[in-house]
């Protein structure tokens, strides 16, 4: 009998020591500044963000622009921490676990990646630096179709030249109500360009919307002869926006993983302590099965989310496919885990006093941002199945079975 071969299994991905230290630092910061009491206070405040805490995220922790290269601003000097998108994802996962309040979606997930993909200029470099340092915030006023950009959907118009005026409306812009700046796609005489707009200037009207998730506000933005500064021309805009939407989708998936992990921890801890019929409910088979299913969903989501982040960081040609797989998987997993957490907690899980409903509402809101799970599954089918070819068609034989 031949001697059996020895197989060495190596992980596809492993966090570095620096990334583990980063996770620990961000987790500690979030525990101190985004506990449940702080989140409830912020979600009912006017701005939904503590400016001092936001500033510390940029200046003290340096986690708002981890994926921005140090030399991203060229001669202008604007730059980030010189880390990687994986580093940024590690921090975002911890933000998701705590439902960290603040314009993370508009600033970190979308605006910073978009500006980093734009050509260097005084306006772009200055704004990028202020966002990375936590001095200013931004919202991404660009209409998307399930996380993709189509120039035909742009309804805002712009005048000629790099400094011009904008007119038009963008619906349901996350974080727009209290952002300092807006990045806006507008149709100029030269084509669709990307502009930076001071959100507090005259000609900009922001109407806050009543949303299910109070921790992630949205607003409709009206531009009426609003001053704007071009940060990307017609040759760069589409790619800059597409890059931002892909990065934003991947980071949103990682955020969903962090929130799902927190919910699973809550459910497991409760199952270990809640008594019914003289036994801990975690000893009941039905509860065990539910928790096991939640763990499977979570690990599947984590794998797809970090694979998407890795694919974007490595500029893989499969990154678009990986991002859609991650969004389809993580949105569905977060929604199921949020619902199951409430079921494990029973009656207390339905109450306003318990934190589970905050995560349930975040899951419902995230499930439609940058495309639903169904839309991303459809895109996966288009990217894979619609272009697939069959090398050989099965030929039936006499008994009807394929040959």
């Amino acid at each position: 009998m031949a001697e059996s071969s020895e197989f060495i299994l190596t992980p596809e991905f492993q966090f570095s020591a620096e990334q583990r230290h980063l996770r620990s630092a961000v987790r500690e910061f979030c525990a101190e500044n985004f506990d449940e009491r702080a989140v409830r206070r912020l979600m009912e405040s006017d701005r939904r963000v503590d400016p001092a805490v936001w500033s510390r995220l940029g200046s003290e922790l340096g986690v708002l622009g981890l994926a921005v290269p140090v030399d991203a601003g060229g001669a202008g000097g604007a730059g980030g921490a010189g880390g990687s998108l994986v580093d940024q994802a590690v921090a975002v996962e911890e933000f998701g676990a705590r439902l960290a309040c603040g314009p993370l979606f508009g600033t970190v997930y979308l605006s910073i990646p978009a500006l980093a993909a734009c050509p260097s200029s005084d306006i772009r470099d200055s704004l990028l630096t202020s966002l990375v340092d936590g001095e200013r915030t931004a919202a991404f006023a660009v209409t998307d179709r399930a996380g993709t950009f189509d120039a035909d959907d742009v309804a805002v118009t712009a005048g000629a030249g790099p400094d011009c005026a904008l007119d038009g409306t963008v619906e349901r812009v996350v974080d727009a109500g209290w952002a300092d700046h807006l990045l806006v796609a507008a149709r100029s005489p030269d084509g669709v360009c990307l502009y930076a707009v001071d959100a507090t200037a005259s000609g900009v009207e922001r109407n806050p919307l009543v949303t299910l998730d109070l921790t992630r506000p949205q607003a409709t933005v009206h531009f009426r002869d609003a001053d704007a500064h071009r940060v990307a021309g017609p040759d760069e805009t589409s790619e800059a926006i597409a890059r931002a939407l892909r990065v934003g989708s991947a980071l949103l998936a990682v955020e969903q993983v962090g929130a799902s992990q927190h919910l699973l921890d809550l459910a497991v801890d409760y199952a270990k302590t809640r008594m019914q019929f003289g036994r801990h409910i975690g000893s009941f088979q039905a509860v065990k099965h539910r928790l096991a299913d939640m763990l499977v969903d979570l690990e599947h989501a984590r794998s797809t989310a970090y694979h998407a982040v890795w694919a974007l960081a490595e500029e893989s040609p499969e990154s678009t496919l990986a991002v859609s797989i991650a969004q389809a998987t993580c949105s569905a997993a977060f929604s199921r885990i949020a619902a199951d957490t409430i079921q494990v907690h029973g009656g207390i899980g339905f109450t306003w006093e318990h934190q589970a409903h905050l995560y349930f509402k975040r899951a419902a809101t995230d499930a439609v941002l940058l495309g639903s799970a169904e839309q991303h599954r459809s895109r996966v089918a288009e990217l894979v199945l619609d272009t697939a070819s069959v090398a050989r068609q099965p030929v039936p034989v006499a008994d009807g079975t394929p040959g």
Side-chain angles (χ1 to χ4, degrees):
M1 181 176 181
E3 185 177 346
S4 61
S5 302
E6 181 180 356
F7 293 92
I8 301 177
L9 300 178
T10 58
E12 179 182 350
F13 182 83
Q14 190 172 24
F15 292 111
S16 67
E18 291 79 7
Q19 288 164 343
R20 292 194 294 271
H21 291 318
L22 171 64
R23 181 184 298 279
S24 178
V26 176
R27 179 175 297 174
E28 182 178 348
F29 184 91
C30 289
E32 294 175 356
N33 297 280
F34 296 115
D35 60 9
E36 184 182 349
R37 179 177 298 181
V39 169
R40 289 181 181 273
R41 172 176 54 81
L42 288 170
M43 74 183 194
E44 295 176 354
S45 67
D46 289 338
R47 292 199 61 179
R48 315 291 174 90
V49 61
D50 185 331
V53 172
W54 185 261
S55 177
R56 290 179 61 199
L57 284 172
S59 59
E60 183 179 319
L61 284 187
V63 294
L64 300 182
L66 284 169
V68 180
V70 174
D71 59 350
S84 69
L85 189 59
V86 177
D87 299 328
Q88 187 67 73
V90 168
V92 165
E93 185 179 347
E94 296 304 317
F95 294 147
R98 287 289 182 170
L99 292 187
C101 286
L104 289 164
F105 186 86
T107 304
V108 177
Y109 301 0
L110 294 171
S111 294
I112 289 178
L115 287 171
C118 292
S120 177
S121 67
D122 290 342
I123 294 294
R124 175 267 197 184
D125 296 350
S126 175
L127 180 54
L128 180 58
T129 298
S130 65
L131 295 182
V132 169
D133 291 344
E135 297 173 355
R136 312 289 281 175
T137 60
F140 200 63
V142 177
T143 302
D144 70 279
R145 289 188 184 182
T148 62
F149 176 68
D150 189 336
D152 292 338
D153 295 334
V154 175
V156 180
T157 59
D163 297 323
C164 58
L166 302 186
D167 290 281
T169 298
V170 184
E171 304 279 353
R172 298 179 298 278
V173 182
V174 178
D175 296 329
W178 295 272
D180 299 312
H181 294 275
L182 300 169
L183 286 186
V184 189
R187 193 176 304 280
S188 75
D190 299 327
V192 174
C193 302
L194 188 64
Y195 297 87
V197 178
D198 184 345
T200 63
S202 61
V204 180
E205 180 184 346
R206 298 177 285 180
N207 298 327
L209 303 174
V210 178
T211 57
L212 178 66
D213 180 10
L214 297 178
T215 67
R216 179 156 279 166
Q218 300 181 31
T220 294
V221 185
H222 303 281
F223 301 99
R224 296 183 179 88
D225 199 30
D227 291 337
H229 306 282
R230 190 168 66 193
V231 293
D235 295 333
E236 305 94 9
T237 293
S238 291
E239 180 53 37
I241 292 176
R243 171 70 180 179
L245 291 173
R246 289 193 295 269
V247 170
S249 295
L251 292 178
L252 180 62
V254 173
E255 181 197 89
Q256 292 169 318
V257 169
S260 298
Q261 179 68 69
H262 179 78
L263 288 175
L264 178 59
D265 293 341
L266 281 181
V268 170
D269 289 343
Y270 188 77
K272 289 180 177 179
T273 57
R274 179 70 168 94
M275 299 287 291
Q276 279 189 348
F277 308 109
R279 296 169 55 185
H280 292 109
I281 64 171
S283 66
F284 297 125
Q285 191 174 52
V287 176
K288 290 180 181 178
H289 286 178
R290 189 182 294 272
L291 293 174
D293 289 342
M294 291 166 68
L295 177 61
V296 170
D297 282 340
L298 171 61
E299 291 305 317
H300 187 196
R302 175 175 282 114
S303 296
T304 60
Y306 275 101
H307 179 260
V309 170
W310 170 85
L312 285 169
E314 296 296 317
E315 299 183 357
S316 166
E318 302 294 330
S319 59
T320 300
L321 175 61
V323 167
S324 281
I325 292 174
Q327 265 297 295
T329 304
C330 295
S331 290
F334 187 18
S335 296
R336 286 194 299 267
I337 290 172
D340 285 346
T341 298
I342 292 177
Q343 292 298 319
V344 170
H345 281 80
I348 189 63
F350 287 86
T351 65
W352 176 262
E353 289 76 17
H354 198 274
Q355 61 180 290
H357 76 93
L358 300 177
Y359 288 82
F360 183 86
K361 293 171 182 175
R362 172 64 69 87
T365 300
D366 285 355
V368 295
L369 291 180
L370 302 179
S372 66
E374 291 78 8
Q375 289 172 314
H376 281 284
R377 282 196 289 267
S378 178
R379 181 168 302 139
V380 170
E382 293 172 0
L383 293 171
V384 178
L385 300 181
D386 291 357
T387 59
S389 60
V390 179
R392 182 180 70 89
Q393 292 286 349
V395 179
V397 294
D399 60 0
T401 59

